[in-house]
C-alpha cells in the first residue's frame, strides 16, 4: 500500500443528520426525538471501513448521542479509537453564555463517561467550529474541565458561521496549557482556504483535496481530516423544510464520500489526534500523569499517546434547560 511518510489526523464528528447547524433554523432540539435515528448504522459504516485499513481515528461525540447509544460509544472505544467531546446539544458557542456553555460541556462529559467510564477524554471540538474571536473565553472553560486540546478553530474568513482569519494555521499552546489544533487550510493567493473535511471534502474534486494534503505535508505539518457519519449515509431522510442553500450544503456529493475516504485511506497514513500531536501534548506531562485506564481496555489503547487527558467519571445528572434554537 502506497502510504505517505507524514502522519495525518483523522477525526469523526459523531452527530445525527438532524442535529447539524445548517438545519437548526428549522429543527429545534426539543424535536430531535421525533426523527428516525441513523447514527449507529452510519458510524458503524465508518468503523468497518477504518478496520479494513487498520486505521484509528478521533471520534468527537455529541453527548445527546452518547446518552441514547452508549453501546456505539463503547464499540468505538473498544476498537482503539480516541474519544473526544463534541458538546451535548450541538449548539453554536456564540449563542450561549459562559454559564450555558460550561453546563453543556459538563453534561457532554457526563454522558460520554457513563458510556465509557474507563476512557480519558482529552479533546473537544465545538459544533460548527464556533470557536471564534467572540468565544475565546470558552478555551479557558475547557481547561477547567481538564481538556488538554481543542480543535475548534478554522483559520480563514468567508463562512457565515465560523472562521478566524488571523488565527495560526498550525498547532499552538495557550497560556492555560490548552493546545489548539486548528482545522487544515492551504495558502492560495495569500489567503487561507479551508480543506480536508465536511462540505469542502464533498464539494472539491478529490485531486484538489489530495493536492492540499500534500501541500500541508510538504510544510512539515499534519493535515486534519474531518467527517460526519451522516456524510456516508446517502439514504438519510431529506429535510424538505430547510432552505435550498441549506439542503445544497448538506447533500452535495454525499454519495461520493465513502469512496473518496477509502481512496485517501489507501494513500495516506492517518491516526488519532493525540497520536499525531503526541509531541505537543507530551509537553504537558500528561502521558505519565494519566496512565490509569482499566486493564480490560489496555489492549485497545496500546499506544500511550493515543488518548491522554484526565478521566471524567460518571456523575449524578444535574438539571439543564434544553436550549432553544437561535435562527
Amino acid at each position: 500500500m502506497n502510504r505517505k511518510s507524514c502522519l495525518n489526523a483523522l477525526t469523526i464528528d459523531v452527530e445525527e443528520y438532524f442535529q447539524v447547524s445548517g438545519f437548526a433554523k428549522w429543527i429545534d432540539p426539543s424535536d430531535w426525538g421525533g426523527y428516525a435515528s441513523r447514527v449507529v448504522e452510519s458510524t458503524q459504516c465508518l468503523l468497518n471501513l477504518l478496520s479494513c485499513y487498520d486505521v484509528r481515528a478521533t471520534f468527537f461525540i455529541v453527548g445527546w448521542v452518547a446518552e441514547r447509544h452508549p453501546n456505539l460509544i463503547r464499540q468505538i472505544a473498544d476498537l482503539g479509537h480516541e474519544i473526544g467531546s463534541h458538546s451535548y446539544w450541538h449548539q453554536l458557542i456564540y449563542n450561549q453564555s459562559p454559564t450555558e456553555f460550561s453546563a453543556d460541556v459538563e453534561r457532554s462529559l457526563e454522558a460520554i463517561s457513563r458510556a465509557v467510564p474507563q476512557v480519558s477524554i482529552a479533546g473537544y471540538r465545538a459544533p460548527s467550529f464556533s470557536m471564534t474571536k467572540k468565544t475565546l473565553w470558552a478555551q479557558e472553560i475547557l481547561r477547567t474541565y481538564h481538556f488538554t486540546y481543542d480543535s475548534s478553530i478554522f483559520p480563514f474568513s468567508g463562512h457565515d458561521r465560523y472562521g478566524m482569519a488571523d488565527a495560526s494555521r498550525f498547532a499552538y499552546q495557550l497560556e492555560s496549557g490548552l493546545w489548539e489544533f486548528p482545522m487544515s487550510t492551504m495558502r492560495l493567493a495569500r489567503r487561507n482556504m479551508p480543506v480536508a473535511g465536511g462540505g469542502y471534502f464533498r464539494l472539491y474534486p478529490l485531486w484538489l483535496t489530495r493536492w492540499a494534503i500534500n501541500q500541508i505535508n510538504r510544510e512539515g505539518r499534519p493535515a486534519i481530516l474531518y467527517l460526519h457519519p451522516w456524510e456516508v449515509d446517502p439514504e438519510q431522510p431529506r429535510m424538505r423544510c430547510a432552505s435550498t442553500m441549506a439542503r445544497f450544503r448538506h447533500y452535495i456529493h454525499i454519495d461520493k464520500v465513502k469512496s473518496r475516504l477509502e481512496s485517501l485511506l489507501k494513500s495516506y497514513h492517518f491516526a488519532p489526534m493525540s497520536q499525531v500531536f503526541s509531541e505537543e501534548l507530551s509537553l504537558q506531562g500528561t502521558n505519565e500523569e494519566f496512565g490509569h485506564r482499566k486493564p480490560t481496555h489496555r489492549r485497545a489503547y496500546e499506544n500511550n499517546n493515543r488518548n491522554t487527558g484526565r478521566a471524567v467519571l460518571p456523575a449524578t445528572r444535574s438539571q439543564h434547560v434544553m436550549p432553544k434554537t437561535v435562527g
Side-chain angles (χ1 to χ4, degrees), residues 28-32 64 68 89 107 320-325:
D28 193 89
S30 62
D31 298 325
W32 286 353
W64 190 94
R68 286 154 181 79
W89 286 112
R107 190 170 182 184
H320 298 287
V321 178
M322 181 181 298
K324 300 299 288 184
T325 298

Side-chain angles (χ1 to χ4, degrees), residues 203-219:
L203 186 61
Y204 297 167
L206 182 57
W207 68 262
L208 181 55
T209 298
R210 287 178 172 277
W211 179 83
I213 293 174
N214 292 338
Q215 288 294 105
I216 293 169
N217 290 168
R218 287 191 190 102
E219 293 181 73

Side-chain angles (χ1 to χ4, degrees), residues 146-170:
H146 308 295
F147 287 101
T148 57
Y149 74 86
D150 174 62
S151 184
S152 302
I153 289 178
F154 232 131
F156 89 110
S157 61
H159 198 279
D160 56 344
R161 281 193 296 272
Y162 58 77
M164 191 155 47
D166 57 353
S168 172
R169 291 179 61 220
F170 302 116

Side-chain angles (χ1 to χ4, degrees), residues 15-303:
E15 62 198 46
E16 292 275 13
Y17 64 96
F18 50 79
Q19 294 177 323
V20 300
S21 299
F23 294 152
K25 185 183 295 185
W26 300 276
I27 302 174
D28 193 89
S30 62
D31 298 325
W32 286 353
Y35 290 89
S37 174
R38 299 179 67 89
V39 72
V40 173
E41 293 79 3
S42 55
T43 303
Q44 287 176 339
C45 176
L46 285 169
L47 290 172
N48 292 336
L49 182 59
L50 297 183
S51 293
C52 287
Y53 293 93
D54 194 26
V55 170
R56 304 294 182 272
T58 297
F59 284 71
F60 292 103
I61 312 293
V62 167
W64 190 94
V65 171
E67 204 166 71
R68 286 154 181 79
H69 304 287
N71 288 338
L72 175 64
I73 313 309
R74 283 191 282 271
Q75 181 183 10
I76 294 170
D78 287 344
L79 288 171
H81 300 286
E82 180 185 9
I83 302 292
S85 170
H86 193 38
S87 82
Y88 183 90
W89 286 112
H90 202 265
Q91 299 295 297
L92 302 172
I93 297 179
Y94 46 76
N95 286 340
Q96 303 174 70
S97 68
T99 299
E100 290 168 335
F101 175 74
S102 180
D104 183 86
V105 170
E106 180 177 349
R107 190 170 182 184
S108 80
L109 293 175
E110 290 177 3
I112 296 169
S113 294
R114 288 177 190 279
V116 283
Q118 74 290 338
V119 170
S120 299
I121 302 172
Y124 179 87
R125 175 167 290 162
S128 294
F129 309 109
S130 51
M131 188 75 72
T132 67
K133 284 186 176 180
K134 296 179 180 179
T135 61
L136 292 179
W137 48 263
Q139 293 174 327
E140 297 301 316
I141 292 176
L142 292 177
R143 194 60 179 143
T144 66
Y145 283 97
H146 308 295
F147 287 101
T148 57
Y149 74 86
D150 174 62
S151 184
S152 302
I153 289 178
F154 232 131
F156 89 110
S157 61
H159 198 279
D160 56 344
R161 281 193 296 272
Y162 58 77
M164 191 155 47
D166 57 353
S168 172
R169 291 179 61 220
F170 302 116
Y172 59 93
Q173 191 174 23
L174 305 173
E175 291 185 3
S176 66
L178 183 76
W179 277 92
E180 181 64 44
F181 301 137
M183 303 311 300
S184 290
T185 58
M186 60 180 178
R187 291 292 291 174
L188 191 63
R190 298 184 179 180
R191 298 188 63 182
N192 295 344
M193 301 297 294
V195 294
Y200 311 110
F201 186 56
R202 289 181 280 117
L203 186 61
Y204 297 167
L206 182 57
W207 68 262
L208 181 55
T209 298
R210 287 178 172 277
W211 179 83
I213 293 174
N214 292 338
Q215 288 294 105
I216 293 169
N217 290 168
R218 287 191 190 102
E219 293 181 73
R221 304 286 187 161
I224 300 176
L225 180 68
Y226 72 95
L227 297 168
H228 308 84
W230 52 262
E231 290 183 289
V232 294
D233 182 16
E235 303 303 318
Q236 65 187 270
R238 269 24 184 192
M239 295 298 178
R240 307 298 181 189
C241 60
S243 69
T244 300
M245 178 56 73
R247 286 184 280 117
F248 172 81
R249 283 178 166 181
H250 189 85
Y251 301 118
I252 181 69
H253 294 163
I254 204 169
D255 58 328
K256 301 180 184 297
V257 172
K258 185 178 178 181
S259 62
R260 289 181 176 183
L261 174 59
E262 185 167 15
S263 178
L264 295 185
L265 294 176
K266 293 177 180 178
S267 304
Y268 298 92
H269 190 187
F270 290 101
M273 295 283 280
S274 287
Q275 182 177 347
V276 172
F277 296 101
S278 60
E279 184 175 345
E280 287 85 352
L281 294 174
S282 67
L283 298 177
Q284 298 170 320
T286 55
N287 292 340
E288 296 180 358
E289 182 181 355
F290 303 123
H292 57 270
R293 300 182 189 88
K294 291 186 176 180
T296 54
H297 286 262
R298 191 162 293 162
R299 185 175 62 179
Y301 289 90
E302 70 279 2
N303 187 322

